[in-house]
Amino acid sequence: MSFKENLKSELEFQDIKVKELAVRSGISRRTIDQYLSTAAKMPSAENAVKIAKVLGVSVEYLVTGKPAESSDETLSQEFHLFQKYRQFIRKMDSLPSNARECMEFFVSKLGNNAD
């Protein structure tokens, strides 16, 4: 996938609007729109780093769609899991504490049944 496709996908995945990314990264909305346009202008290294920091991903991930290579295979696997369940984690974190505790209990019981 291209930078444009990865950026668009990540924005949708995290439910972040272009305007919000522009504000948080300090990059103009017009410039970000150019990265997402049909012509798909590639960002400078500096802007790619700013975007990656706001999105909490690596520049390599935005460019290639794959997490940065790690010598630690476990870290790479955990990164994939985090990417997959990031939205769920955020929703869980936003629940009231009693609802979150209930969900944590339920999930822990599911884990025990999987053994």
Side-chain angles (χ1 to χ4, degrees), residues 22-63:
V23 169
R24 291 174 57 192
S25 67
I27 301 168
S28 74
R29 180 180 177 155
R30 181 175 172 215
T31 300
I32 294 172
D33 283 336
Q34 289 176 346
Y35 302 150
L36 296 167
S37 73
T38 310
K41 175 184 168 187
M42 280 295 289
S44 66
E46 179 182 351
N47 282 355
V49 168
K50 288 178 181 179
I51 291 169
K53 282 184 179 180
V54 169
L55 297 176
V57 299
S58 69
V59 173
E60 183 176 346
Y61 175 77
L62 288 175
V63 173

Side-chain angles (χ1 to χ4, degrees), residues 5 10 12 18 27 35 39 45 62-64 75 77-78 85 96 100 106 114-115:
E5 292 167 329
E10 195 61 30
E12 288 173 10
V18 173
I27 301 168
Y35 302 150
L62 288 175
V63 173
T64 66
L75 182 61
Q77 291 171 347
E78 287 177 0
Y85 294 108
R100 189 175 46 249
F106 178 73
D115 294 336

Side-chain angles (χ1 to χ4, degrees), residues 101-115:
E101 289 170 7
C102 184
M103 289 298 294
E104 289 170 354
F105 176 79
F106 178 73
V107 170
S108 72
K109 292 301 178 188
L110 285 174
N112 291 341
N113 291 334
D115 294 336

